[in-house]
Amino acid sequence: MSGNSYGKLFSISTFGESHGPALGCVIDGCPPGIELSEADLQEDLDRRKPGTSRHTTQRREDDIVQILSGVFEGKTTGTSIGLLIQNTDQRSKDYSNIADTFRPAHADYVYTHKYGFRDYRGGGRSSARETAMRVAAGGIAKKFLASKGVTIRGYLSQLGPLKIDDSKFDWDQVNQNPFFSPDADIVPEMERYMDALRKEGDSIGAKITVVAEGVPVGLGEPIFDRLDAELAHALMSINAVKGIEIGDGFAVVEQKGTQHRDEMTPEGFCSNHAGGILGGISTGQAITASIALKPTSSLRLPGRSINAKGEAIEVITQGRHDPCVGIRATPIAEAMMAIVLMDHYLRHRAQNADVVCDTPVLKG
Amino acid sequence: MSGNSYGKLFSISTFGESHGPALGCVIDGCPPGIELSEADLQEDLDRRKPGTSRHTTQRREDDIVQILSGVFEGKTTGTSIGLLIQNTDQRSKDYSNIADTFRPAHADYVYTHKYGFRDYRGGGRSSARETAMRVAAGGIAKKFLASKGVTIRGYLSQLGPLKIDDSKFDWDQVNQNPFFSPDADIVPEMERYMDALRKEGDSIGAKITVVAEGVPVGLGEPIFDRLDAELAHALMSINAVKGIEIGDGFAVVEQKGTQHRDEMTPEGFCSNHAGGILGGISTGQAITASIALKPTSSLRLPGRSINAKGEAIEVITQGRHDPCVGIRATPIAEAMMAIVLMDHYLRHRAQNADVVCDTPVLKG
Amino acid sequence: MSGNSYGKLFSISTFGESHGPALGCVIDGCPPGIELSEADLQEDLDRRKPGTSRHTTQRREDDIVQILSGVFEGKTTGTSIGLLIQNTDQRSKDYSNIADTFRPAHADYVYTHKYGFRDYRGGGRSSARETAMRVAAGGIAKKFLASKGVTIRGYLSQLGPLKIDDSKFDWDQVNQNPFFSPDADIVPEMERYMDALRKEGDSIGAKITVVAEGVPVGLGEPIFDRLDAELAHALMSINAVKGIEIGDGFAVVEQKGTQHRDEMTPEGFCSNHAGGILGGISTGQAITASIALKPTSSLRLPGRSINAKGEAIEVITQGRHDPCVGIRATPIAEAMMAIVLMDHYLRHRAQNADVVCDTPVLKG
Amino acid sequence: MSGNSYGKLFSISTFGESHGPALGCVIDGCPPGIELSEADLQEDLDRRKPGTSRHTTQRREDDIVQILSGVFEGKTTGTSIGLLIQNTDQRSKDYSNIADTFRPAHADYVYTHKYGFRDYRGGGRSSARETAMRVAAGGIAKKFLASKGVTIRGYLSQLGPLKIDDSKFDWDQVNQNPFFSPDADIVPEMERYMDALRKEGDSIGAKITVVAEGVPVGLGEPIFDRLDAELAHALMSINAVKGIEIGDGFAVVEQKGTQHRDEMTPEGFCSNHAGGILGGISTGQAITASIALKPTSSLRLPGRSINAKGEAIEVITQGRHDPCVGIRATPIAEAMMAIVLMDHYLRHRAQNADVVCDTPVLKG
């Protein structure tokens, strides 16, 4: 596979560019008998789609997904599932002017060198537009995992300098504001920050956290396909991500063993510094992962760059962009975590379906 | 593949437990005609091996690697390469007492649930002992990459609270001290810190940074096998790693686009916040990745845990352990980065060998 | 991957059922810069499509393929290519009567047991309808291989008892008759045979041979991904195939070494009993493979079977079927051979692009 | 993976040359808790090993296998299993004379072109010597399958012109003679035939048949990883194989649908022309596959060839060779069938473990 597929047993293979006619996906390995309809996938697509608030790109895409195969009489058949989303609002002319220029910190320069030329319309394949298909595919994984008692949720943990206040954490707030913030009180501040940023013409980074609850103990395939390693792969493959943390993440550098180790008692684990993964295998506790997303480089403010001939130019990016790409990343991160967990659920039972273990399972 | 293989074109498949008779590896996809001898691999094995200073485990392993196939008349043949390292200092009796107990923050509990029982001798397969084979395999990748002008080096960037001083950074110092510190002045402080820690019976985390120079522009396979995603996978698969950063990593959360974007001029890139990767593809600049390693949980200090029956017990870990597992991780991280880059070098030329690009390559 | 993808570097992932809305495919790993249009793929689709003569099913499908991604300004971009074919002539009601019955020698019984239920409309995923996508994807591989001097052609070598006469072999005849017969003189006999068979309500087997010319020496990845092993995999994956031969095939059982070995002289190979593959690697001679296709089991003549309850029933298959599925298999077999050769062309150069060999290449 | 690995969930990765120090294998994905010892693997190794009768090569190899990991206290642990077989009887000097010559119908010519040079000692990696590791790995698969009620057996169905008489078929005879013939009466004739052949200095082809009984209905992953397609891949990857048949194989070309279709009654299947596989999925009947093996080209009788400079030479192969490589292929074919079935057993339950099907399973 050359990079457009992910997963070993539950696998997705996607296609589609920012300004092509459509995005598509082949999903292979989905167990049969799961009730599935387009509506199941549309919910997360609507959470991700652009233009839902003034703080995201004003591009208008309904992102309506069609299921073209693999579902019969309302249930998955066990054969491959084909998904399609038509692109409706493309406005290629916005981009014709950048055909021969390389936007700083975008993929323009590397795509040109790797492939010899590039689809310059809105970044082509390198655009985060493709993540719509990840969200649609992730919806199938979420449906399967829900039938196994696993739930996956994410939230914005930091927007630039603005950190959420854990004492005000409320899952019910996450989908009540345009930022996926679980802290309702900080939302007005975020609104003001983003409005100022937009006027300024600049962009900002963000931090997203995703949490999986109800994951059984045992998922993950050492030594290379540890669950944390696969999560790192899947989350780092999302556009603009520059860092990954599992559990305490980089805080462990200054922790002592007595402080970090999660002690166990017959009543359960005493803490969860590990983020629900030990030795690359799920412990049964909540799995927590955080990602750092860089600020977009599509800015109205001029930047130095070169053109295809290697000559110095000044770049100003017009068009419609997210001043904080992190905002819409929450459902994408949830989708990738769901795909990894479903894949590993299947991989685990393939090898270990016959295992009998008398040791009691501890509470998280 | 069920987790013990890594890489698509240059792939390694390993076996071996902490206290089994031997560790081994099959390396597939190595190009023919590369001069290779055991000596080429031994150098990094010696950098990783235990017992070289009082700051690492006192277990004695010579870690002598044998090449059993794939090399003829001093050159690789293009067929699979078999490597073997005999375990010599096993002392299984040290571990018999923990057969039915689960050490907190170790893989004991999850291995027992996943597989139904476990090889309790020194952690069995979950022990970092297996990383010797990663280092041996990585030596082959380093040899190949060197022939393409790519060099990979790593260092300890932080030991618990002790950060190296970038103004004193000197690559030549890295292999001159037991910590792989590029800052010679901080070494005495590290010595004192580790001595105190050992007396105390506790352990500490660390941060390691690896850098690849001379990487051509174009390596990485979007959208899922982006070069940064594969590096995250490979580095997170190393024992005790809890966090990954590419370039500026988590610092991007608070950066603005104007600050983060690496501008380009005909003379080259103006900065490298991206860590040498854009859109998941190498830019030709230095690739930089950092990892956070947790403190080991093998402590003399008692901890609460349970046994196989689920009963409350107190665990005290005797035996020989690294008070800071991060110290020996530097050559391991280099090896994993080398394996990823070699795999992607081959993947890139498979698809793009015929590409012609007139755009000049920028300086890093 | 769970069975709906094929190929390691040039890979195809397909979806679609006989009576679903559409068939689709994601093609990954296609090199950039190849001129490609829908017309390039339509030619072989038209050779395969039903209803072109009275000797094939009368189902009407135009099989118009759309390219949805991966091609920009007439050339492949190196990103994944999405293909779509709408199903137009479905007539699901033809099949409602067989919802609970298992047709003998069809996949009905095994799909029901494997997946718990099945899409009974025209065989769902098990229908040869999916091969349209193989032909479309194979068209891309043929285009790439042509640019490397490789041509792939196939023909019908036997229709039931009727063997073609090698002394009358003429490649130019193959596409001039509805049977893909290279022997024009036997065509009227085949017409008569098929007309009689249709009246009778029975079906018949066939043998197809595919030949690749201009293949460079060196393709194939021992020891498991030998070129012949991959061809066997790809060709056996075509519906109704029960046998594979490379070169002399089963005739080798009675051959002596002196007779079978293909001697070499400075002028070239003296024979090609091996079918262009030695040790699993292409020799540079013509690669020849033959496949045996069983007679379809969709017959008007009653057969004994069971229903979903396990009760005895009599099955009579109405609807529109190919009395000899082998007839339309020629372009499908060509497509699968093309996909295998393109994949191995890329795999070979990934590992061996730097190889220098002074030994002259022999003529075929 | 570059060709030295086979299997997706139960996978083997092998190394080793004919005249290297050792052969080895990493087996990944073996479920935990299976009782396993070297003795379990030695039985089939002894059936395959050379020098057991005057009709096979006189090379002396004890083929003693060591298990180096993945087994603890007599049971598999679920981690990767390392196997090693030391080469003991190498006699490299036998081969030094062929360093620069290409034996007709051997891999010498293609290896040299593919890799630039080759290990000429006894064919290096291209020698059937590597099949010892397939047999060892297959022994593990046989042990697992036996615990699921699946048994795999093979036999010689034809030696050159000598076909076994089905009316005299007796499984108990197979391991009672040096040819694996189930027909005791034909053995003396085979003895005479082989003695004459040896005097003559020539070699002969053979046909081997393998049968799996007790396979549950449902194994196989359409559309590309059909069970028959994977069997074809695995069996064609065995040295010297030029043809594959499933069930009736090439006989289907002349069969009519009414004759070929295996009718079903509540009492079971009425026949098994399909060889136990429909639509690429096991039916629950016996799975039967036959392979054609070419005569070896290592002959005392002179043959025309070229040397590395491309000059005409005459080749006479001294040394120790099998005049009929097919004879020792029976345990190898059994091993490959076992590996495929075990892999698919795991793949099937990964996706379909939750399937409930009320339709009764038919007798074979």
PDB file of all heavy atoms in Angstrom, chain A residues 253-278:
ATOM      1  N   VAL A 253       8.735  13.337  31.644  1.00  0.00           N
ATOM      2  CA  VAL A 253      10.178  13.597  31.633  1.00  0.00           C
ATOM      3  C   VAL A 253      10.660  13.999  33.024  1.00  0.00           C
ATOM      4  O   VAL A 253      11.735  13.597  33.467  1.00  0.00           O
ATOM      5  CB  VAL A 253      10.534  14.682  30.590  1.00  0.00           C
ATOM      6  CG1 VAL A 253      12.001  15.088  30.699  1.00  0.00           C
ATOM      7  CG2 VAL A 253      10.207  14.198  29.180  1.00  0.00           C
ATOM      8  N   GLU A 254       9.842  14.753  33.740  1.00  0.00           N
ATOM      9  CA  GLU A 254      10.246  15.225  35.069  1.00  0.00           C
ATOM     10  C   GLU A 254       9.594  14.438  36.203  1.00  0.00           C
ATOM     11  O   GLU A 254       9.715  14.801  37.373  1.00  0.00           O
ATOM     12  CB  GLU A 254       9.938  16.721  35.198  1.00  0.00           C
ATOM     13  CG  GLU A 254      10.629  17.536  34.105  1.00  0.00           C
ATOM     14  CD  GLU A 254      10.689  19.035  34.392  1.00  0.00           C
ATOM     15  OE1 GLU A 254      10.508  19.439  35.555  1.00  0.00           O
ATOM     16  OE2 GLU A 254      10.937  19.799  33.434  1.00  0.00           O
ATOM     17  N   GLN A 255       8.902  13.372  35.880  1.00  0.00           N
ATOM     18  CA  GLN A 255       8.275  12.568  36.932  1.00  0.00           C
ATOM     19  C   GLN A 255       9.230  11.497  37.451  1.00  0.00           C
ATOM     20  O   GLN A 255      10.060  10.984  36.709  1.00  0.00           O
ATOM     21  CB  GLN A 255       7.001  11.887  36.399  1.00  0.00           C
ATOM     22  CG  GLN A 255       5.836  12.835  36.159  1.00  0.00           C
ATOM     23  CD  GLN A 255       4.642  12.136  35.511  1.00  0.00           C
ATOM     24  OE1 GLN A 255       4.721  10.967  35.106  1.00  0.00           O
ATOM     25  NE2 GLN A 255       3.533  12.863  35.398  1.00  0.00           N
ATOM     26  N   LYS A 256       9.070  11.152  38.729  1.00  0.00           N
ATOM     27  CA  LYS A 256       9.798  10.018  39.304  1.00  0.00           C
ATOM     28  C   LYS A 256       8.912   8.781  39.213  1.00  0.00           C
ATOM     29  O   LYS A 256       7.678   8.880  39.092  1.00  0.00           O
ATOM     30  CB  LYS A 256      10.159  10.321  40.751  1.00  0.00           C
ATOM     31  CG  LYS A 256      11.307  11.323  40.863  1.00  0.00           C
ATOM     32  CD  LYS A 256      11.805  11.438  42.272  1.00  0.00           C
ATOM     33  CE  LYS A 256      13.094  12.278  42.300  1.00  0.00           C
ATOM     34  NZ  LYS A 256      13.581  12.438  43.687  1.00  0.00           N
ATOM     35  N   GLY A 257       9.542   7.623  39.269  1.00  0.00           N
ATOM     36  CA  GLY A 257       8.804   6.371  39.146  1.00  0.00           C
ATOM     37  C   GLY A 257       7.718   6.224  40.192  1.00  0.00           C
ATOM     38  O   GLY A 257       6.607   5.748  39.900  1.00  0.00           O
ATOM     39  N   THR A 258       8.009   6.635  41.430  1.00  0.00           N
ATOM     40  CA  THR A 258       7.013   6.501  42.497  1.00  0.00           C
ATOM     41  C   THR A 258       5.789   7.373  42.229  1.00  0.00           C
ATOM     42  O   THR A 258       4.688   7.070  42.673  1.00  0.00           O
ATOM     43  CB  THR A 258       7.629   6.938  43.852  1.00  0.00           C
ATOM     44  OG1 THR A 258       8.385   8.138  43.635  1.00  0.00           O
ATOM     45  CG2 THR A 258       8.556   5.857  44.377  1.00  0.00           C
ATOM     46  N   GLN A 259       6.019   8.451  41.485  1.00  0.00           N
ATOM     47  CA  GLN A 259       4.931   9.380  41.175  1.00  0.00           C
ATOM     48  C   GLN A 259       4.144   8.903  39.951  1.00  0.00           C
ATOM     49  O   GLN A 259       2.919   9.010  39.903  1.00  0.00           O
ATOM     50  CB  GLN A 259       5.574  10.741  40.919  1.00  0.00           C
ATOM     51  CG  GLN A 259       4.692  11.830  40.374  1.00  0.00           C
ATOM     52  CD  GLN A 259       5.527  13.059  39.993  1.00  0.00           C
ATOM     53  OE1 GLN A 259       6.759  13.057  40.099  1.00  0.00           O
ATOM     54  NE2 GLN A 259       4.840  14.104  39.538  1.00  0.00           N
ATOM     55  N   HIS A 260       4.858   8.363  38.964  1.00  0.00           N
ATOM     56  CA  HIS A 260       4.221   8.004  37.691  1.00  0.00           C
ATOM     57  C   HIS A 260       3.480   6.675  37.752  1.00  0.00           C
ATOM     58  O   HIS A 260       2.395   6.533  37.164  1.00  0.00           O
ATOM     59  CB  HIS A 260       5.261   7.943  36.568  1.00  0.00           C
ATOM     60  CG  HIS A 260       4.660   7.519  35.254  1.00  0.00           C
ATOM     61  ND1 HIS A 260       3.987   8.392  34.434  1.00  0.00           N
ATOM     62  CD2 HIS A 260       4.578   6.301  34.651  1.00  0.00           C
ATOM     63  CE1 HIS A 260       3.535   7.745  33.367  1.00  0.00           C
ATOM     64  NE2 HIS A 260       3.882   6.481  33.476  1.00  0.00           N
ATOM     65  N   ARG A 261       4.047   5.710  38.435  1.00  0.00           N
ATOM     66  CA  ARG A 261       3.464   4.362  38.359  1.00  0.00           C
ATOM     67  C   ARG A 261       2.022   4.380  38.876  1.00  0.00           C
ATOM     68  O   ARG A 261       1.739   4.941  39.927  1.00  0.00           O
ATOM     69  CB  ARG A 261       4.302   3.351  39.133  1.00  0.00           C
ATOM     70  CG  ARG A 261       4.392   3.596  40.618  1.00  0.00           C
ATOM     71  CD  ARG A 261       5.178   2.471  41.307  1.00  0.00           C
ATOM     72  NE  ARG A 261       5.523   2.848  42.680  1.00  0.00           N
ATOM     73  CZ  ARG A 261       6.287   2.092  43.461  1.00  0.00           C
ATOM     74  NH1 ARG A 261       6.785   0.935  43.028  1.00  0.00           N
ATOM     75  NH2 ARG A 261       6.569   2.490  44.695  1.00  0.00           N
ATOM     76  N   ASP A 262       1.125   3.779  38.139  1.00  0.00           N
ATOM     77  CA  ASP A 262      -0.282   3.695  38.536  1.00  0.00           C
ATOM     78  C   ASP A 262      -0.458   2.446  39.386  1.00  0.00           C
ATOM     79  O   ASP A 262      -0.500   1.322  38.864  1.00  0.00           O
ATOM     80  CB  ASP A 262      -1.175   3.648  37.295  1.00  0.00           C
ATOM     81  CG  ASP A 262      -1.023   4.886  36.415  1.00  0.00           C
ATOM     82  OD1 ASP A 262      -1.148   6.009  36.946  1.00  0.00           O
ATOM     83  OD2 ASP A 262      -0.749   4.727  35.202  1.00  0.00           O
ATOM     84  N   GLU A 263      -0.576   2.657  40.686  1.00  0.00           N
ATOM     85  CA  GLU A 263      -0.706   1.512  41.587  1.00  0.00           C
ATOM     86  C   GLU A 263      -2.073   0.850  41.406  1.00  0.00           C
ATOM     87  O   GLU A 263      -3.013   1.456  40.900  1.00  0.00           O
ATOM     88  CB  GLU A 263      -0.509   1.961  43.038  1.00  0.00           C
ATOM     89  CG  GLU A 263       0.924   2.432  43.308  1.00  0.00           C
ATOM     90  CD  GLU A 263       1.130   2.797  44.767  1.00  0.00           C
ATOM     91  OE1 GLU A 263       0.417   3.687  45.259  1.00  0.00           O
ATOM     92  OE2 GLU A 263       2.015   2.173  45.404  1.00  0.00           O
ATOM     93  N   MET A 264      -2.137  -0.415  41.796  1.00  0.00           N
ATOM     94  CA  MET A 264      -3.367  -1.191  41.651  1.00  0.00           C
ATOM     95  C   MET A 264      -3.789  -1.735  43.015  1.00  0.00           C
ATOM     96  O   MET A 264      -2.945  -2.155  43.801  1.00  0.00           O
ATOM     97  CB  MET A 264      -3.149  -2.360  40.692  1.00  0.00           C
ATOM     98  CG  MET A 264      -2.767  -1.939  39.285  1.00  0.00           C
ATOM     99  SD  MET A 264      -2.397  -3.366  38.188  1.00  0.00           S
ATOM    100  CE  MET A 264      -0.696  -3.694  38.664  1.00  0.00           C
ATOM    101  N   THR A 265      -5.093  -1.745  43.269  1.00  0.00           N
ATOM    102  CA  THR A 265      -5.644  -2.409  44.458  1.00  0.00           C
ATOM    103  C   THR A 265      -6.821  -3.259  43.977  1.00  0.00           C
ATOM    104  O   THR A 265      -7.299  -3.062  42.852  1.00  0.00           O
ATOM    105  CB  THR A 265      -6.167  -1.384  45.481  1.00  0.00           C
ATOM    106  OG1 THR A 265      -7.383  -0.813  44.953  1.00  0.00           O
ATOM    107  CG2 THR A 265      -5.160  -0.275  45.751  1.00  0.00           C
ATOM    108  N   PRO A 266      -7.303  -4.168  44.810  1.00  0.00           N
ATOM    109  CA  PRO A 266      -8.456  -4.972  44.367  1.00  0.00           C
ATOM    110  C   PRO A 266      -9.641  -4.098  43.953  1.00  0.00           C
ATOM    111  O   PRO A 266     -10.487  -4.511  43.173  1.00  0.00           O
ATOM    112  CB  PRO A 266      -8.786  -5.802  45.606  1.00  0.00           C
ATOM    113  CG  PRO A 266      -7.469  -5.962  46.303  1.00  0.00           C
ATOM    114  CD  PRO A 266      -6.774  -4.640  46.111  1.00  0.00           C
ATOM    115  N   GLU A 267      -9.673  -2.849  44.442  1.00  0.00           N
ATOM    116  CA  GLU A 267     -10.777  -1.954  44.075  1.00  0.00           C
ATOM    117  C   GLU A 267     -10.545  -1.292  42.717  1.00  0.00           C
ATOM    118  O   GLU A 267     -11.453  -0.668  42.157  1.00  0.00           O
ATOM    119  CB  GLU A 267     -10.965  -0.861  45.137  1.00  0.00           C
ATOM    120  CG  GLU A 267     -11.508  -1.409  46.457  1.00  0.00           C
ATOM    121  CD  GLU A 267     -10.543  -2.384  47.112  1.00  0.00           C
ATOM    122  OE1 GLU A 267      -9.346  -2.049  47.226  1.00  0.00           O
ATOM    123  OE2 GLU A 267     -10.996  -3.508  47.461  1.00  0.00           O
ATOM    124  N   GLY A 268      -9.318  -1.391  42.192  1.00  0.00           N
ATOM    125  CA  GLY A 268      -9.056  -0.820  40.881  1.00  0.00           C
ATOM    126  C   GLY A 268      -7.753  -0.052  40.829  1.00  0.00           C
ATOM    127  O   GLY A 268      -6.971  -0.057  41.791  1.00  0.00           O
ATOM    128  N   PHE A 269      -7.506   0.593  39.692  1.00  0.00           N
ATOM    129  CA  PHE A 269      -6.309   1.402  39.517  1.00  0.00           C
ATOM    130  C   PHE A 269      -6.430   2.658  40.371  1.00  0.00           C
ATOM    131  O   PHE A 269      -7.515   3.218  40.517  1.00  0.00           O
ATOM    132  CB  PHE A 269      -6.134   1.807  38.056  1.00  0.00           C
ATOM    133  CG  PHE A 269      -5.698   0.690  37.163  1.00  0.00           C
ATOM    134  CD1 PHE A 269      -6.651  -0.077  36.484  1.00  0.00           C
ATOM    135  CD2 PHE A 269      -4.359   0.383  37.000  1.00  0.00           C
ATOM    136  CE1 PHE A 269      -6.245  -1.109  35.656  1.00  0.00           C
ATOM    137  CE2 PHE A 269      -3.953  -0.646  36.165  1.00  0.00           C
ATOM    138  CZ  PHE A 269      -4.908  -1.399  35.492  1.00  0.00           C
ATOM    139  N   CYS A 270      -5.317   3.103  40.948  1.00  0.00           N
ATOM    140  CA  CYS A 270      -5.336   4.278  41.817  1.00  0.00           C
ATOM    141  C   CYS A 270      -5.153   5.575  41.037  1.00  0.00           C
ATOM    142  O   CYS A 270      -5.373   6.660  41.560  1.00  0.00           O
ATOM    143  CB  CYS A 270      -4.234   4.169  42.866  1.00  0.00           C
ATOM    144  SG  CYS A 270      -4.332   2.636  43.811  1.00  0.00           S
ATOM    145  N   SER A 271      -4.709   5.490  39.789  1.00  0.00           N
ATOM    146  CA  SER A 271      -4.478   6.682  38.965  1.00  0.00           C
ATOM    147  C   SER A 271      -4.347   6.226  37.517  1.00  0.00           C
ATOM    148  O   SER A 271      -4.386   5.029  37.234  1.00  0.00           O
ATOM    149  CB  SER A 271      -3.173   7.371  39.414  1.00  0.00           C
ATOM    150  OG  SER A 271      -2.085   6.453  39.374  1.00  0.00           O
ATOM    151  N   ASN A 272      -4.182   7.196  36.600  1.00  0.00           N
ATOM    152  CA  ASN A 272      -4.066   6.846  35.179  1.00  0.00           C
ATOM    153  C   ASN A 272      -3.063   7.740  34.463  1.00  0.00           C
ATOM    154  O   ASN A 272      -3.378   8.359  33.451  1.00  0.00           O
ATOM    155  CB  ASN A 272      -5.442   6.890  34.499  1.00  0.00           C
ATOM    156  CG  ASN A 272      -5.408   6.366  33.082  1.00  0.00           C
ATOM    157  OD1 ASN A 272      -4.441   5.740  32.664  1.00  0.00           O
ATOM    158  ND2 ASN A 272      -6.472   6.636  32.324  1.00  0.00           N
ATOM    159  N   HIS A 273      -1.852   7.805  35.028  1.00  0.00           N
ATOM    160  CA  HIS A 273      -0.790   8.568  34.357  1.00  0.00           C
ATOM    161  C   HIS A 273      -0.452   7.963  32.999  1.00  0.00           C
ATOM    162  O   HIS A 273      -0.027   8.654  32.082  1.00  0.00           O
ATOM    163  CB  HIS A 273       0.466   8.588  35.231  1.00  0.00           C
ATOM    164  CG  HIS A 273       0.275   9.258  36.543  1.00  0.00           C
ATOM    165  ND1 HIS A 273       0.151  10.623  36.673  1.00  0.00           N
ATOM    166  CD2 HIS A 273       0.165   8.752  37.799  1.00  0.00           C
ATOM    167  CE1 HIS A 273      -0.008  10.945  37.946  1.00  0.00           C
ATOM    168  NE2 HIS A 273      -0.015   9.822  38.661  1.00  0.00           N
ATOM    169  N   ALA A 274      -0.658   6.660  32.867  1.00  0.00           N
ATOM    170  CA  ALA A 274      -0.278   5.954  31.640  1.00  0.00           C
ATOM    171  C   ALA A 274      -1.239   6.226  30.493  1.00  0.00           C
ATOM    172  O   ALA A 274      -0.957   5.879  29.351  1.00  0.00           O
ATOM    173  CB  ALA A 274      -0.212   4.453  31.908  1.00  0.00           C
ATOM    174  N   GLY A 275      -2.395   6.828  30.797  1.00  0.00           N
ATOM    175  CA  GLY A 275      -3.374   7.081  29.736  1.00  0.00           C
ATOM    176  C   GLY A 275      -4.005   5.812  29.210  1.00  0.00           C
ATOM    177  O   GLY A 275      -4.389   5.729  28.043  1.00  0.00           O
ATOM    178  N   GLY A 276      -4.109   4.799  30.075  1.00  0.00           N
ATOM    179  CA  GLY A 276      -4.850   3.592  29.701  1.00  0.00           C
ATOM    180  C   GLY A 276      -4.098   2.589  28.856  1.00  0.00           C
ATOM    181  O   GLY A 276      -4.703   1.645  28.339  1.00  0.00           O
ATOM    182  N   ILE A 277      -2.785   2.775  28.725  1.00  0.00           N
ATOM    183  CA  ILE A 277      -1.979   1.851  27.918  1.00  0.00           C
ATOM    184  C   ILE A 277      -0.670   1.527  28.634  1.00  0.00           C
ATOM    185  O   ILE A 277       0.067   2.429  29.030  1.00  0.00           O
ATOM    186  CB  ILE A 277      -1.664   2.459  26.533  1.00  0.00           C
ATOM    187  CG1 ILE A 277      -2.965   2.761  25.775  1.00  0.00           C
ATOM    188  CG2 ILE A 277      -0.787   1.516  25.713  1.00  0.00           C
ATOM    189  CD1 ILE A 277      -2.754   3.476  24.443  1.00  0.00           C
ATOM    190  N   LEU A 278      -0.392   0.238  28.828  1.00  0.00           N
ATOM    191  CA  LEU A 278       0.877  -0.226  29.405  1.00  0.00           C
ATOM    192  C   LEU A 278       1.470  -1.289  28.487  1.00  0.00           C
ATOM    193  O   LEU A 278       0.748  -2.175  28.020  1.00  0.00           O
ATOM    194  CB  LEU A 278       0.651  -0.828  30.787  1.00  0.00           C
ATOM    195  CG  LEU A 278       0.319   0.128  31.931  1.00  0.00           C
ATOM    196  CD1 LEU A 278      -0.005  -0.653  33.197  1.00  0.00           C
ATOM    197  CD2 LEU A 278       1.486   1.092  32.192  1.00  0.00           C
TER     198      LEU A 278
END
